[in-house]
Structures are given as C-alpha cells and as structure tokens.
Amino acid sequence: MTLSGTLLAATLATPLAFAALCLLAPFRRRVFALLPLAPLPGLATALLAPGGSLLLAPAPLRLVLALDTPGAMLLGGASLLWSCAGLYAGSYMGGRAGRTGFAVWWLLTLAGSLGVFIVADMTSFYLMFSLVSLAAYGLVAHEGTPAAERAGLAYMALALLGEAFLLFGFVLLATAGPNGNPLIADAVAMLDGSPWRAATLTLLILGFGLKMGLVPLHIWMPLAHPVAPMPASAVLSGIVVKAGVIGLIRFLPFDRAAPDWGTALAALGLVTAYYGVGVGITQRNLKTVLAYSTVSQMGLVAAIIGAGMAAGAGDATRLAAYYGLHHLLVKGALFMGVGVVAATGARRRPLVLGVMTVMALSLAGLPFTSGALAKYAAKAVLGEGATGTLATLSAAGSTLLMLHFLRLLAATSKARPQDRAPVGMVVPWLVTAFASFAVAWALFPQATGGSLAGMLAPAALWKATWPILLGLLLALGLARWGARLPAIPEGDVAVLAERAGPAVRRLGHGVEQFDAAMRAWPVAGLALLAVVLALGALLALP
C-alpha cells in the first residue's frame, strides 16, 4: 500500500478504532487525553496525500477513497480544528458526568465528518454523511436538559429528513449512471442525460442545503448550538455543516453552464445570508448569534457554488472550499473564545476581547484577515453583477451582526478580576485563531491560481473596507433603536410551528371524533360502502 493509501485509510480507521477501544475501561479513563490525536492522520493526509486514492473493495462494491484539492483544504482545516477542539474539550468538560458517552459520540462524528471529504463512491459517501449526521445528535443532546432534549429531537428529525432527501436523490442519480456502486464523478457526468435530472438536483440541494443550514431548513443550528457543550458547538458550526458544502461540490455539475439551477441556488444562498443577519441581531444568547452567523456565512458559500454552477466554472469548487476553510477555523475560534472570555477576569479580558474582535470582523472581511482573502477570491466567480453586489453588501450585514455579538460578549464574564482561563482552553483557542490567518495566506495562490499582489492593492483594500464602515454605521443605529426590534425566538420557524401545534392537535382530535361518530352511524357505513363500490365500478369502465 502506498503512503497516500495508508494515510487515507488511517484518517477513517483512527477515530473509529478509538471509539471501539472505549469499550475497555483503561482506555476510557484516558480517552479525553487522546481526543486531540484522533484527527492527526487526517491532517497528515491533507498535507501529504492530495491526489492520492485507495481502492478498499473492487466492483460491484467499489469502495474508494480519494482526495482532491477542495477535499484536501476542508480535510486539513477540519482535522486541525478537531484536534484543537479535542484539547479544549479535555479542559472544558473537566469532571462532568457522561464524559465517556460524549467522547464516543465525538469520535464517531469526527470519523464521519472527515470521511465525507475523502470518499469517492456514492455508497461510502452516504454512509459517512449518515454517520456524521446521526452521531452529532449525541453532541447536541449531551447535557440532558429539557432544552437539550428539545434541540436534539429537532436536530434528529431534520437529520432524518435530510437523509431521506439524499437517499432518494442518490437512487435517482445512480439509476441514471453506471450499474452497481458508481463513483460520484461518473454518476454526476451522466446527470445531464437523466430523465430525472430536475428531481435529482432538487433532492440533492434540499439534502445538502439542510446540513448547511440554508433557509428555511436552518432551524437546527440556532436550537442546537445554545445547548451543546462549547467544544461541540465549535465543531458543529465549524465542521459538521461543511458536510453539506462538500456534498454540493461533489454532486452538482460544473462541467457546463446551468443558469437556471445555478441562479436559483445563488438566490437561495443570498436570501439565507441576509436572513441569518436579520434574525441574528434580535438574539441575546452569544451562541445563538454565532449560529445565525453560520447560517448567513453558509448562504454565501451556497451563492458561490450557485454562481459557479450557473457559469459552468469548475474553479468555483476550489473557491467555495477555500471560503469554507476560512469560516471553519474562524467560527471554531469564536466558539472556543466564548468559553475563554467567560473564564477570564477583568485584568486579562482586553487582550482576549481584542483577539475575538479580529476573529469576529474576519467574517465580515476585515483587511488582511482570512475573511478578506476569501471574499476577494470569491469575486472571481460571483462577478460584478447583482449576485456580486449583493454578496459584497452582505459584508455590511456580517459586520453589524458581529458587532452585536461583541457588544454582548463584553458584558458576559462573571469571573473574578484576577481569574484566568485554563491553559487547556487558551492554547487551542489561540492556535485555531492563528491558523485562520496562516492557513488562508498560505493556500491563497493554490486556491485561486493568482497572486496576493492584487489583494494588497489600495482599490482592493478599499473594497474590503467600505462594507465594514457601513456595517459600523448600522451597528450604531442598532445600539440606538435595537430595542424596537421584534423578539424572535431561537429557531424562529421551528418555534412558530411549535406554537401552531395545539391547533393542529385540536384539529386531529376533531377528525378522530368525527370518524368515531361516523363509524357508529350505520347509515354512514352504508354510504361509505356505496362510495367505494361506485369508485370500483368507475375504475372498471374501459
């Protein structure tokens, strides 16, 4: 077996082996110390094995692992964040109850989330996607509180709905392609000739869009993040949503222009980007604000993918992955930073808040940050038309939302003035924050095919700056008149559905009573029989 094949296999085998070893008491006692090690084969794979492949089983099963450029970028960033978040979790979770169960769910989610970046056949992808989707339930519902159970139930219901969308979509896609278990690329290549092309694309976008949090399928995020432990929120928002991103990259066709579907996806993405900001500024819970920020940012990724699909631009897959990598590291640092701020006393808080400010404004495209690089790179596919203009203006909304977050963050700490956060939390947080800069700058030429000179030109710097200045003005208005905004509960659409529940239950009860009355009435039974016989006679007519 080649080095690349060995690394690809180890990427999946290591976290799964760790999860299995939790059956042994000696391993369980040390599992939290070992969590940072489980993703390291994935990091090595991203660095050393791009372009590698491994055949695990021949046709007709044909289980194949492979790593292309978009997968390598997301795999490397995800592995790094998983490792840092694992170190953070060891300190954050302390002596909390249920640590072993949390570790098992953590390792299974880790395996699935890395697996989706390296599998190349449809069966393996579905298995890995299902693993990351279902195992993440254990992270969402870990606390066991009523709120956590409610969020876990909503998450699981939506996860199963997404699985159903993808299952039907994959069946249609596989039917149109080669027999057996086709490679993803082969199946997608046959999509244009499929009589079910429209249905397949619809199901794929629904399934992957739900995982990304595209409106109106976003509701699991603002429900899950406030109740999940802080390290779990970091990986859920930073990494798990990227399963949807890599799904769209892998399964949507980019070899020829598809203006209808691409424009529709870009429009949905932009609606999501603005919706996340609009609801997010009404929230008071820090983690909920960050959840709506993720909704907004994933909307921008969908807009990049949609614009690339509309133009038939294959490089859109690299640009979307690059933007996803930026968001992955920054959002992971922000969630971990919330825990660091909460544990830091007043004497040390200015430095911590300074780092958090840079991280938060990176999402808006603050010059010289990873966000500025990602947004500059995305302009190549978003263009200068309506899509590009709306995407640029969305940076003002991101600034507004992040300044709202920072204002809430500054007032949250209840630590004593001399307190300092544990080293086991501070170090992984700082490593992730630094990596968001270093990795984005290092990969810019590879992701874009261009140089950094244009990014540093005065005109480019001004284009990155003016939306932030506009967002600052909007934030001043929010501070002045924000109290007049309507109170939108976490989960928005989900809460409205819950509130409609009593009416639906009353309607159902009424139907049951009507049915019982009809069944007790002989005339009704005879009438029903007559209707059935009449329908049967009509169906028998030539």
Side-chain angles (χ1 to χ4, degrees):
M1 185 182 295
T2 63
L3 174 62
S4 61
T6 301
L7 290 173
L8 285 166
T11 298
L12 283 180
T14 304
L16 291 175
F18 278 24
L21 287 171
C22 286
L23 294 172
L24 305 177
F27 190 88
R28 287 199 301 270
R29 288 193 292 268
R30 301 189 59 190
V31 65
F32 265 84
L34 298 174
L35 288 183
L37 303 180
L40 294 184
L43 182 58
T45 302
L47 294 174
L48 302 176
S53 63
L54 175 65
L55 179 64
L56 292 178
L61 293 177
R62 194 162 56 173
L63 304 180
V64 180
L65 304 180
L67 189 63
D68 59 5
T69 298
M73 284 192 285
L74 291 172
L75 174 65
S79 299
L80 178 59
L81 179 54
W82 271 113
S83 186
C84 290
L87 180 61
Y88 186 100
S91 179
Y92 181 87
M93 298 298 289
R96 298 189 184 192
R99 280 165 48 93
T100 301
F102 179 87
V104 172
W105 290 119
W106 180 276
L107 290 165
L108 292 175
T109 307
L110 163 60
S113 72
L114 299 187
V116 294
F117 300 134
I118 63 174
V119 291
D121 61 276
M122 291 186 60
T123 299
S124 298
F125 188 94
Y126 185 77
L127 290 175
M128 291 298 104
F129 193 91
S130 298
L131 180 59
V132 65
S133 296
L134 301 181
Y137 166 82
L139 303 181
V140 174
H142 170 75
E143 297 291 348
T145 63
E149 292 177 356
R150 169 177 173 263
L153 178 62
Y155 173 83
M156 183 56 73
L158 288 170
L160 292 175
L161 178 63
E163 295 295 318
F165 287 145
L166 289 182
L167 180 60
F168 284 114
F170 283 11
V171 168
L172 294 179
L173 189 60
T175 301
N179 293 329
N181 172 29
L183 295 177
I184 297 171
D186 293 340
V188 174
M190 302 292 292
L191 183 58
D192 279 345
S194 171
W196 306 288
R197 178 176 181 270
T200 303
L201 288 173
T202 299
L203 290 166
L204 292 175
I205 291 173
L206 285 173
F208 293 128
L210 190 153
K211 184 59 61 183
M212 290 175 65
L214 301 185
V215 171
L217 303 174
H218 66 288
I219 54 177
W220 69 269
M221 276 198 273
L223 291 175
H225 290 318
V227 299
M230 199 69 71
S233 291
V235 296
L236 285 169
S237 189
I239 302 171
V240 171
V241 297
K242 303 309 184 296
V245 174
I246 197 65
L248 292 181
I249 288 173
R250 291 274 189 267
F251 285 89
L252 294 185
F254 294 92
D255 55 341
R256 66 179 66 184
D260 47 357
W261 286 96
T263 301
L265 179 57
L268 176 61
L270 291 171
V271 169
T272 299
Y274 283 92
Y275 185 91
V277 170
V279 180
I281 60 175
T282 69
Q283 304 300 308
R284 307 295 300 177
N285 185 305
L286 285 167
K287 294 173 73 178
T288 307
V289 175
L290 289 179
Y292 278 108
S293 169
T294 295
V295 171
S296 179
Q297 293 293 310
M298 289 302 97
L300 286 176
V301 175
I304 295 169
I305 295 172
M309 188 180 177
D315 60 344
T317 59
R318 293 197 319 273
L319 298 177
Y322 183 68
Y323 199 105
L325 171 64
H326 138 72
H327 175 265
L328 184 156
L329 293 172
V330 171
K331 191 54 64 71
L334 284 172
F335 269 107
M336 288 190 281
V338 170
V340 172
V341 170
T344 302
R347 294 179 184 176
R348 298 175 176 85
R349 291 183 72 223
L351 179 59
V352 176
L353 289 174
V355 175
M356 290 293 282
T357 298
V358 175
M359 288 292 97
L361 293 182
S362 177
L363 292 178
L366 182 70
F368 307 110
T369 65
S370 63
L373 296 174
K375 291 179 183 295
Y376 179 80
K379 290 182 183 297
V381 67
L382 291 172
E384 300 294 336
T387 301
T389 301
L390 289 171
T392 299
L393 282 173
S394 72
S398 296
T399 303
L400 171 64
L401 183 57
M402 287 297 96
L403 290 175
H404 173 62
F405 163 77
L406 291 169
R407 185 164 58 89
L408 295 175
L409 182 67
T412 57
S413 179
K414 297 180 181 179
R416 295 170 298 179
Q418 69 275 16
D419 285 350
R420 65 174 67 189
V423 174
M425 293 170 58
V426 173
V427 170
W429 166 63
L430 289 177
V431 169
T432 306
F434 175 76
S436 72
F437 285 92
V439 173
W441 281 89
L443 292 181
F444 183 87
Q446 179 183 2
T448 65
S451 69
L452 290 165
M455 168 66 202
L456 300 175
L461 292 174
W462 170 244
K463 287 183 179 179
T465 302
W466 73 258
I468 295 178
L469 296 177
L470 176 58
L472 177 59
L473 292 176
L474 294 173
L476 294 175
L478 180 65
R480 176 67 177 83
W481 295 289
R484 300 181 184 181
L485 293 175
I488 301 179
E490 297 172 351
D492 50 278
V493 178
V495 175
L496 293 177
E498 286 178 345
R499 291 176 178 175
V504 174
R505 285 192 291 271
R506 287 195 297 270
L507 177 61
H509 182 63
V511 170
E512 289 178 357
Q513 289 182 322
F514 176 76
D515 178 68
M518 291 292 287
R519 289 178 183 274
W521 189 26
V523 176
L526 293 175
L528 179 61
L529 178 61
V531 170
V532 172
L533 292 174
L535 288 174
L538 288 174
L539 291 173
L541 293 176

